[in-house]
Amino acid sequence: MDVNKNLRDIEIAKLAFIGASIATLGDGIAALAAGLALDALQQDNQVQNNSRNAPDESSIQIQIDYFIDELIKIRNNVG
């Protein structure tokens, strides 16, 4: 009976880890989106004589690729 309980606890811990990892990555993506929205608003209003430029698309792609790679690593570690 203890073996079944331990296996169940391990599965529950794995699910908790997956959920927390996905939530953390989601927070990162949300922060990236908020930054992009802020940049767009600042560009539209031309605040302080266009002191901020539009975000660099290559750095955005690098950040998105990083989040995707992290999700793949988590999937491989748990699976």
Side-chain angles (χ1 to χ4, degrees):
M1 190 78 162
D2 286 338
V3 173
N4 287 338
K5 185 180 184 310
N6 287 340
L7 289 176
R8 189 176 127 225
D9 289 346
I10 289 171
E11 291 300 316
I12 291 169
K14 282 183 180 181
L15 287 174
F17 174 73
I18 292 169
S21 299
I22 291 171
T24 301
L25 291 172
D27 289 344
I29 292 169
L32 176 61
L36 291 173
L38 178 61
D39 285 339
L41 288 172
Q42 287 179 334
Q43 185 179 11
D44 287 345
N45 291 323
Q46 297 179 355
V47 175
Q48 296 176 354
N49 297 326
N50 294 328
S51 64
R52 295 188 63 141
N53 296 328
D56 182 20
E57 289 181 20
S58 64
S59 69
I60 294 168
Q61 185 63 48
I62 290 169
Q63 291 175 343
I64 291 171
D65 290 341
Y66 171 77
F67 287 125
I68 291 171
D69 289 341
E70 289 299 310
L71 280 172
I72 291 170
K73 287 178 190 176
I74 291 167
R75 181 191 65 194
N76 291 338
N77 285 337
V78 173

